[in-house]
Amino acid sequence: EVQLVESGGGLVQPGGSLRLSCAASGFTFDDYGMGWVRQAPGKWLEWVSDISWNGDSTYYAEQMKGRFTISRDNAKNTVYLQMNSLKPEDTAVYYCAKGGGGRTPYNYDYWGQGTQVTVSS
């Protein structure tokens, strides 16, 4: 029923930018906060960012603050992650997720399939 479909990942050079999108369906989108988490190969799941139901409140992991911006368009049932000044250590699979809170990757009730972001020269 619930579907979260990420897009926008790809290969980018260090210092470059990408914008990820997450198309949501199967639930009342503006009843829920949304978030992004990521996982690099062989590493633990890492919380990236959360946004409140109406977009009024945003939260970022310290490593992303000032470089990443989360936003949402409730009319389009879509959440975005604008990523600037990308670093090789940002390389990971990025997942869109429903719910969230607490600045952890373990407070969501649904994840998307993920989109690969690779930052390399």
Side-chain angles (χ1 to χ4, degrees):
E1 182 69 32
V2 173
Q3 292 189 63
L4 301 172
V5 181
E6 301 95 334
S7 61
L11 176 64
V12 64
Q13 294 185 11
S17 298
L18 285 173
R19 189 172 81 151
L20 307 183
S21 298
C22 172
S25 61
F27 64 101
T28 304
F29 184 68
D30 62 2
D31 279 353
Y32 295 92
M34 299 291 293
W36 292 91
V37 298
R38 70 184 187 184
Q39 189 165 34
K43 300 194 71 176
W44 292 330
L45 192 66
E46 182 179 20
W47 177 74
V48 174
S49 184
D50 280 341
I51 187 166
S52 61
W53 69 273
N54 61 358
D56 284 351
S57 299
T58 58
Y59 309 88
Y60 301 93
E62 194 65 30
Q63 294 179 23
M64 293 79 181
K65 192 176 297 183
R67 299 190 299 123
F68 291 11
T69 303
I70 190 170
S71 61
R72 66 191 295 163
D73 186 340
N74 285 349
K76 296 182 178 180
N77 283 11
T78 302
V79 61
Y80 305 95
L81 185 69
Q82 177 68 45
M83 305 186 295
N84 299 325
S85 301
L86 283 163
K87 305 173 181 180
E89 53 263 43
D90 294 319
T91 295
V93 177
Y94 284 72
Y95 298 93
C96 174
K98 170 179 175 284
R103 309 178 72 87
T104 78
Y106 305 113
N107 218 13
Y108 304 98
D109 59 11
Y110 201 86
W111 289 16
Q113 82 292 338
T115 186
Q116 176 71 47
V117 171
T118 302
V119 184
S120 177
S121 299

